[in-house]
Amino acid sequence: MSLLLFALAQLVLLAVMLPLFFRYRGMKRRQDSLVQSLKGQRFWRINVARPRFFERWLRLLAFEGKGVLIAEGDHSVRIKGFWNKDGRAFDVLIDLRQSRAQWLGNRTLRSGNLHWAQLTTPRGEILFTADTGMNALLSREALADIFRAVFTELELTEEQTQDFALEKNPRSRVVMVLFFALLFFALIDTFVVSRFELTDAQIFRILRHPLTWAGTLVSGVLVWLLTYRQLLGGGVPARESQALTGLLVAVLLLSALPVAKRIDQVLADAPAKNYDYRITGVARLEPADPRLGLPPMTFPRAKEFWSQYPTDSTYPIPYLHGPMGLWQLDHEAFDAPIRAFYEKR
C-alpha cells in the first residue's frame, strides 16, 4: 500500500512538473527571440510581475512574464517581453525622469528566492528581477548591476550590494545561539550523560503513537511560522530566514526527547525504584505487572549474565517514573551487578 501511494505521489508530481518544464522552455525561447534582435544595444534579461500577481500566494512561478530591459538613451528604458499565461507580448517605453525605482529585495516567500525591484511610472507599477534562475546570490548581484547602470540616482546600501551576515543581525544571532545550544544539549544528554535512559521499546512506542505525530506536526508548524515571521520582521532575508527556521525546527525535534527526560526527572516526586520483570528467555524480560505500562526489555550484549537466571524467574529493574509517564532506566543501579559479573569473569 505504501509503495502504491509513493508511486501515485510521483505520478502527481510528474504531472505537475512536466507541463511546467515545457512552459518554462517556451518562455525562454520567446525571450531568446527578443535578444537576437538587440545587437549593439545595452540590455538585461529580466522577469516581471504586476503587483496584483506578486501578492498572490498560490502560484507555480514567482514571476508573471519574461522579457528584457533595454537602455534607450540617458533618460529612457524599454521593457519588452511576454506574459506567461497567454504568451501576449508587451512593449513599454518608460521615461526615467517621471518614474521612480525602489529596491524590494528578497523579503518574503512570494519573492521566489529572488531579489526584486519596483518601478513606479505614470502608467502604473511593474515589478522586475534579473533573470538568473532561482539563485538568490546571482539575482542580487545582477539586480545591483542594473541599478548601477540604469537607475543611477539611487544609492545602493550595503545590504543590497553584499551578502547578508547572520552574525550582524540580533534576531538571526538569537536563533543561531538557540540552535547550537539545543544541539549541544541533545548530543551531550544522549551520548555522554547517560545515567537515565529511555529504552528502545519505549521510544518506538512513543514514535508510533498518533498523538506524537499530530503534536509534532502542529508544534513544528507553529514554531516555523512564528520564527519565520520574527526573522523577516527583523530584516533577515527570506532565504536565510527559511534556512534558520528549518534548522531550529529540526534541532527542536532532535532535542525533544532529551528535554522531556530532563523535565520528567525534575518533576518526579520519588527517586528511581525497582520493578519486577519476568525472564521469558535468554536476555528477554517482560514486566511482571503489565498494567503498569513498563516496556519490555532485551539485552543482546549481556547474554552470559542473563543465562544464569532460569526462565520465569523474576529480576528487579530500576526505573525513574515521573508525571510525564516516561520510564527511565537508572543505569547507575542497573549496571552495577552486570559490571561486577563481568569483572569476576
Side-chain angles (χ1 to χ4, degrees):
M1 184 66 179
S2 58
L3 289 176
L4 178 60
L5 291 175
F6 181 69
L8 288 174
Q10 287 185 316
L11 288 175
V12 171
L13 182 62
L14 187 63
V16 173
M17 295 305 296
L18 271 181
L20 191 62
F21 170 74
F22 287 112
R23 184 179 176 184
Y24 188 83
R25 284 186 60 183
M27 291 187 291
K28 289 298 290 183
R29 281 196 299 266
R30 288 195 292 267
Q31 188 185 52
D32 290 340
S33 66
L34 288 175
V35 170
Q36 290 174 5
S37 63
L38 298 176
K39 292 181 180 180
Q41 293 181 267
R42 283 197 308 159
F43 68 90
W44 297 266
R45 292 174 182 258
I46 60 172
N47 301 316
V48 297
R50 287 169 287 198
R52 186 172 58 181
F53 175 88
F54 193 75
E55 291 300 320
R56 296 179 190 169
W57 281 102
L58 297 177
R59 46 191 167 94
L60 293 176
L61 292 174
F63 51 89
E64 192 177 5
K66 277 188 174 294
V68 289
L69 178 70
I70 309 164
E72 299 246 347
D74 295 331
H75 304 295
S76 299
V77 293
R78 184 180 296 276
I79 297 180
K80 298 179 66 174
F82 298 87
W83 300 115
N84 301 340
K85 186 175 182 180
D86 52 14
R88 183 166 48 89
F90 56 85
D91 185 346
V92 183
L93 182 64
I94 300 170
D95 187 342
L96 297 179
R97 293 168 295 187
Q98 301 178 17
S99 305
R100 180 173 59 88
Q102 179 185 0
W103 183 288
L104 301 179
N106 177 23
R107 291 296 185 193
T108 67
L109 288 174
R110 290 192 294 265
S111 300
N113 203 33
L114 297 171
H115 286 263
W116 287 83
Q118 179 174 292
L119 188 58
T120 303
T121 74
R123 299 178 59 180
E125 297 174 341
I126 187 73
L127 291 88
F128 67 94
T129 178
D131 186 2
T132 56
M134 295 293 111
N135 189 307
L137 173 60
L138 295 179
S139 171
R140 178 187 56 75
E141 292 177 344
L143 186 62
D145 291 342
I146 294 175
F147 268 72
R148 291 189 187 99
V150 179
F151 309 107
T152 55
E153 75 285 353
L154 183 66
E155 290 293 332
L156 297 178
T157 65
E158 179 181 347
E159 176 186 352
Q160 296 160 356
T161 57
Q162 297 183 16
D163 290 336
F164 178 78
L166 293 174
E167 68 278 5
K168 293 183 179 180
N169 185 284
R171 297 194 185 185
S172 61
R173 282 201 304 267
V174 169
V175 174
M176 291 171 63
V177 168
L178 283 174
F179 170 78
F180 285 110
L182 288 171
L183 180 63
F184 181 76
F185 168 76
L187 294 176
I188 292 297
D189 190 78
T190 302
F191 299 108
V192 179
V193 183
S194 57
R195 176 183 174 181
F196 293 103
E197 177 193 11
L198 289 178
T199 63
D200 292 343
Q202 187 172 191
I203 292 174
F204 292 147
R205 181 192 301 172
I206 293 171
L207 294 179
R208 286 197 303 264
H209 202 287
L211 287 179
T212 302
W213 291 96
T216 300
L217 179 61
V218 172
S219 302
V221 170
L222 287 176
V223 171
W224 178 282
L225 291 175
L226 291 173
T227 306
Y228 184 72
R229 290 189 63 181
Q230 286 296 315
L231 289 171
L232 283 182
V236 182
R239 178 186 59 170
E240 285 78 2
S241 295
Q242 292 175 46
L244 287 174
T245 303
L247 288 174
L248 184 61
V249 171
V251 79
L252 283 172
L253 295 177
L254 178 66
S255 60
L257 277 180
V259 169
K261 283 173 52 183
R262 288 295 178 182
I263 294 174
D264 207 34
Q265 291 167 24
V266 172
L267 297 179
D269 55 4
K273 66 177 184 178
N274 289 326
Y275 294 86
D276 286 338
Y277 269 73
R278 186 171 59 87
I279 297 176
T280 59
V282 177
R284 289 182 172 275
L285 293 84
E286 296 285 343
D289 187 352
R291 295 172 299 177
L292 296 176
L294 288 160
M297 304 289 287
T298 58
F299 303 96
R301 296 183 181 179
K303 289 185 177 181
E304 296 86 354
F305 173 81
W306 296 106
S307 62
Q308 64 181 323
Y309 297 99
T311 303
D312 288 333
S313 62
T314 59
Y315 187 88
I317 294 183
Y319 279 104
L320 179 70
H321 188 54
M324 297 182 68
L326 301 178
W327 295 95
Q328 301 187 53
L329 180 65
D330 183 358
H331 275 282
E332 186 174 299
F334 177 76
D335 292 352
I338 299 176
R339 190 182 304 111
F341 173 83
Y342 282 102
E343 285 176 352
K344 289 180 181 180
R345 287 169 63 91

